[in-house]
Amino acid sequence: MSVVHQLSPGWLLDHLSFINKINYQVHQHHKPCASKNEPTSVHRDSLHMDSVSSFGSFATFIASDSTVKPENAVGRNSEMFLQKYVFRSELFAVTVPYITSSVHKECQQSNEKKDLTNGVKTEISISTLGKKRKRCVVFNQGELDAMEYHTKIRELILDGSAQLIQEGFKSGFLHSLSEKRDKCIEPITLPLDACNLSGLCEMAKHLPSLNEKELLTLQLVEDDVSVTEQDLFSRVVENNSSFTKRITLMGQKYLLPPKSSFLLSDISCMHPLLNSGKTYDVIVIDPPWQNKSVKRSKRYSYLSPLQIKQIPIPKLAAPNCLVITWVTNRQKHLRFVKEELYPSWSVEIVAEWHWVKITNSGEFVFPLDSPHKKPYECLILGRIREKTALPLRNADVNVLPIPDHKLMVSVPCTLHSHKPPLAGIYSYD
């Protein structure tokens, strides 16, 4: 379970524990070359090296168990191996804030005065001649809206996080910085090409379009991992087995958890998902929002508001579906979700939560009052509204109530935009 503690303000979460309890066990068969009277040995070290190199910086092989099946048709035993993988704990080793409060204060002008009422910031700088020069900077409307929003939620973030962090210290889940130094974990350096899924999605868009028969759902059978990239493009791929499946894409290996499925595409090709005929009780959306940082880094392509509105959520949502959208702290995006996006999908807002990011020692990863980066992110929760008002509602339908203004406090993963596990919270309630 990802929930370490639950208090009235919200939850203290453990991402790593949730991921590792998904049961990433790869089921493999081994046919010994020796005769049935000769013992067969498997070198665990070789399995470890192969597994680590296969998944690079994300997962590591920790153990294997083997069982011997009865003799097969040719009179030889076949041996079954379960290889278990866990997520690397180093990816959650955030021991110090990204920006400390002292550095944040030094970056501010010691003689800077802010008049938030008038939306004017007065800066006093000293010229080379020793004379003082005043300069007035007017905040734009977006900055003023962000200040107002932060003021409204500041006490909620500060007080609620403090309660959950205190519980984390009591239980030993969080540790003071001095204690963590004794258990120092070397930071992990990720390769630049750690994941090529976005590149594969881009490649899929340029392939010839297939007819509906060719886009039928692909089910990975028990021992079939010999699929090509072309087999997976623009079609729903399912793993209905009780074991993790290992698939290779562009030379990189990925683990597909048991009882799961995916569509390797982007929103320009969602008809395979629609054609599958399935609807969902919970839909979580993490759009690539446009911002200056993304424009500068060109790390990934962003979606315009119009493109986000075109995602066919109403067709994918089951009755009373819970729709959860991650939103950046930019007020323009928050207003868009509340005033345009959700109404266009017939989604009624039921709650607004915040994810608060802390270090392993319980500090905010960014100063709470930093004007640039905040240590929290917002998510808007809503439910699909019924298109027609039914005079007699089915009494057997149990709609889970969603509490408002809750916090999720956790140590973030160092992988870009890796969000905390909401499934743990949903099942916990």
Side-chain angles (χ1 to χ4, degrees):
M1 183 64 66
S2 64
V3 177
V4 181
H5 296 290
Q6 181 182 27
L7 300 175
S8 57
W11 307 268
L12 180 65
L13 303 180
D14 182 1
H15 302 213
L16 184 62
S17 173
F18 178 82
I19 296 172
N20 288 338
K21 287 181 180 179
I22 292 177
N23 187 27
Y24 282 109
Q25 293 188 99
V26 178
H27 186 185
Q28 291 189 326
H29 289 284
H30 175 73
K31 296 180 180 179
C33 296
S35 66
K36 63 180 181 179
N37 296 323
E38 295 178 356
T40 303
S41 62
V42 177
H43 296 285
R44 181 171 297 184
D45 290 341
S46 64
L47 287 174
H48 181 275
M49 291 300 294
D50 175 67
S51 301
V52 171
S53 61
S54 297
F55 296 95
S57 302
F58 303 123
T60 182
F61 165 75
I62 60 167
S64 69
D65 297 318
S66 62
T67 57
V68 179
K69 284 191 169 185
E71 290 185 356
N72 55 25
V74 295
R76 292 184 179 180
N77 294 333
S78 63
E79 201 165 7
M80 181 197 307
F81 290 92
L82 293 180
Q83 294 180 308
K84 184 176 181 181
Y85 293 84
V86 296
F87 214 66
R88 287 182 176 271
S89 59
E90 301 98 308
L91 293 170
F92 291 93
V94 184
T95 55
V96 294
Y98 303 142
I99 300 178
T100 61
S101 297
S102 58
V103 172
H104 170 60
K105 290 178 181 178
E106 290 175 4
C107 292
Q108 292 180 319
Q109 294 285 346
S110 59
N111 51 2
E112 176 180 307
K113 299 178 181 179
K114 295 183 179 179
D115 187 352
L116 301 183
T117 304
N118 299 323
V120 177
K121 178 171 67 176
T122 303
E123 295 179 346
I124 303 175
S125 58
I126 301 176
S127 67
T128 55
L129 298 177
K131 295 181 180 180
K132 293 183 179 180
R133 181 180 60 190
K134 293 185 178 181
R135 182 173 53 139
C136 292
V137 179
V138 179
F139 290 107
N140 60 41
Q141 190 59 48
E143 292 171 326
L144 292 174
D145 292 343
M147 293 175 192
E148 182 181 359
Y149 180 80
H150 177 69
T151 302
K152 287 180 180 179
I153 66 171
R154 187 182 187 279
E155 293 306 315
L156 169 70
I157 301 292
L158 190 62
D159 296 342
S161 299
Q163 294 180 47
L164 290 163
I165 291 171
Q166 186 177 16
E167 287 299 310
F169 280 121
K170 288 180 182 178
S171 65
F173 177 70
L174 299 175
H175 304 273
S176 65
L177 191 58
S178 58
E179 293 177 11
K180 292 297 291 184
R181 282 172 183 165
D182 297 334
K183 305 175 183 179
C184 184
I185 301 176
E186 288 294 326
I188 190 168
T189 302
L190 298 178
L192 295 177
D193 59 345
C195 181
N196 286 332
L197 289 181
S198 59
L200 288 170
C201 291
E202 185 66 25
M203 182 186 301
K205 292 193 298 184
H206 300 289
L207 292 177
S209 59
L210 302 176
N211 57 48
E212 290 190 6
K213 289 185 178 180
E214 291 174 307
L215 290 175
L216 292 176
T217 298
L218 174 64
Q219 296 187 358
L220 301 178
V221 297
E222 279 297 328
D223 297 305
D224 181 20
V225 292
S226 59
V227 293
T228 64
E229 288 84 352
Q230 288 76 12
D231 293 330
L232 303 179
F233 281 151
S234 300
R235 64 194 303 179
V236 177
V237 181
E238 292 183 347
N239 175 19
N240 292 322
S241 72
S242 301
F243 295 93
T244 295
K245 289 311 203 181
R246 189 169 57 189
I247 58 178
T248 302
L249 296 171
M250 301 293 286
Q252 294 183 328
K253 293 183 179 180
Y254 297 88
L255 297 177
L256 183 60
K259 309 298 181 183
S260 65
S261 60
F262 71 93
L263 172 63
L264 184 60
S265 181
D266 60 17
I267 63 169
S268 66
C269 182
M270 295 194 69
H271 52 279
L273 195 59
L274 298 172
N275 292 340
S276 67
K278 294 183 179 180
T279 57
Y280 303 89
D281 296 319
V282 181
I283 298 176
V284 182
I285 311 163
D286 186 12
W289 296 102
Q290 179 181 357
N291 60 58
K292 294 179 181 178
S293 175
V294 172
K295 279 186 175 181
R296 286 194 300 265
S297 65
K298 297 181 180 180
R299 181 179 296 176
Y300 57 84
S301 300
Y302 56 82
L303 292 179
S304 68
L306 179 60
Q307 290 173 311
I308 296 174
K309 288 175 72 172
Q310 291 174 347
I311 301 175
I313 294 300
K315 295 181 179 180
L316 297 170
N320 299 310
C321 172
L322 182 63
V323 179
I324 306 172
T325 303
W326 285 96
V327 193
T328 66
N329 290 316
R330 191 176 179 184
Q331 294 304 297
K332 178 181 178 181
H333 296 152
L334 277 171
R335 284 196 302 270
F336 166 71
V337 172
K338 295 177 180 179
E339 300 172 8
E340 296 185 47
L341 184 63
Y342 275 15
S344 72
W345 288 341
S346 298
V347 173
E348 182 180 3
I349 297 174
V350 296
E352 183 174 333
W353 292 359
H354 290 88
W355 172 33
V356 183
K357 293 172 272 190
I358 61 171
T359 67
N360 302 113
S361 54
E363 299 178 86
F364 293 134
V365 295
F366 293 107
L368 181 58
D369 297 318
S370 169
H372 307 293
K373 290 273 191 176
K374 293 291 191 291
Y376 56 80
E377 291 186 38
C378 180
L379 61 166
I380 308 297
L381 296 86
R383 283 201 185 277
I384 291 286
R385 293 194 300 262
E386 295 180 1
K387 294 182 179 179
T388 57
L390 299 177
L392 296 175
R393 187 171 181 176
N394 188 350
D396 296 333
V397 177
N398 183 22
V399 179
L400 185 69
I402 304 297
D404 198 4
H405 301 300
K406 291 294 183 178
L407 302 181
M408 301 177 298
V409 179
S410 70
V411 179
C413 180
T414 55
L415 295 176
H416 176 70
S417 196
H418 190 283
K419 298 300 192 294
L422 301 179
I425 294 174
Y426 197 77
S427 59
Y428 196 84
D429 283 342

